[in-house]
Amino acid sequence: MLIRLLLLVAFLQVEGVKIYTEEELLGKINPTSHSDFSLVPSEFCSRSGIYLRSEVLDKFIVLRQLAEEEGIKLIIVSGTRSFNHQKDIWDRKWTKPKYMGWEKIEKAKDILTYSSMPGTSRHHWGTDFDLNSLENNYFDSGEGKKVYDFMERCGGEHGFKQVYTSKDGGRTGYEEEKWHWSYMPVSSVMLNQYNELVCISDIRGFDGSEVADSINVIGVFVNGIAE
Ligand SMILES: [Zn+2]
């Protein structure tokens, strides 16, 4: 394992690919003090205190300007989330009274409809963000449809992609999220490195982590993205 890892690191360095740490891939960082992250200006967000990787924010600013020229407002409602932030979300759902008496595995699968286990979220990476609304039907008409159509038409050429698409094509994992966009030039590198560096035994430190292996959370969810 160690030799494989050292070979991979050597290969990536020769290729000039940035190497991410296991902590970065698992969200065990603080974006407010990490030199690769920037605070998103509050006028781009629904609330203050949202961070993205600086290169992702730079591209988003270009895209947002283009949208604005068409009278469309792109508003970030969530960006980078640390492991602890995701753990708060997970724990809040895990302890909901509606799950009283549920088997752990069924409870975890139900939460995983839309929410990630801590350590497995793309929001840890600073490459992904949620736009405008967390309801798919918002994007079916009116302002929401304009936002979605704009992102479909112009997002790709700037590196942005909807990763949680309809599951009709056989994609596994989370349900469709029309609000979640990823900056692929960075996130695809991070996903490759995640698959090399992170094992299921690294997904721990929260209630419910004991079923991560049975659910195959890395195979089915972390890798359950659009082709
Ligand atoms: Zn999201």
Side-chain angles (χ1 to χ4, degrees), residues 54-181:
S54 306
E55 64 220 280
V56 180
L57 177 58
D58 288 347
K59 284 284 183 200
F60 176 76
I61 289 171
V62 173
L63 192 64
R64 182 184 174 275
Q65 183 60 35
L66 281 178
E68 199 155 270
E69 284 163 16
E70 295 187 24
I72 297 163
K73 270 222 164 335
L74 305 183
I75 300 160
I76 295 181
V77 300
S78 188
T80 307
R81 297 202 292 259
S82 68
F83 179 95
N84 285 335
H85 184 164
Q86 194 64 31
K87 183 177 179 300
D88 286 344
I89 295 172
W90 180 267
D91 286 348
R92 205 162 51 240
K93 297 198 171 184
W94 189 258
T95 52
K96 271 189 180 176
K98 78 164 187 173
Y99 293 128
M100 279 263 282
W102 285 46
E103 294 285 339
K104 281 183 182 177
I105 193 158
E106 295 310 322
K107 189 157 124 173
K109 280 182 181 168
D110 195 58
I111 300 170
L112 283 162
T113 308
Y114 290 109
S115 297
S116 303
M117 281 188 173
T120 69
S121 173
R122 295 175 69 91
H123 281 282
H124 292 331
W125 301 345
T127 54
D128 289 40
F129 51 82
D130 300 330
L131 275 185
N132 292 58
S133 166
L134 302 177
E135 300 281 343
N136 281 317
N137 62 14
Y138 167 81
F139 298 99
D140 290 343
S141 62
E143 284 303 306
K145 183 163 167 38
K146 284 186 198 166
V147 167
Y148 188 74
D149 289 350
F150 173 82
M151 288 301 290
E152 283 231 293
R153 178 163 43 86
C154 300
E157 66 195 78
H158 295 273
F160 295 100
K161 185 173 170 184
Q162 180 192 352
V163 281
Y164 304 127
T165 48
S166 159
K167 287 165 85 176
D168 293 347
R171 183 182 65 76
T172 62
Y174 308 104
E175 292 304 309
E176 179 167 29
E177 295 187 359
K178 289 186 167 180
W179 55 84
H180 183 116
W181 294 84

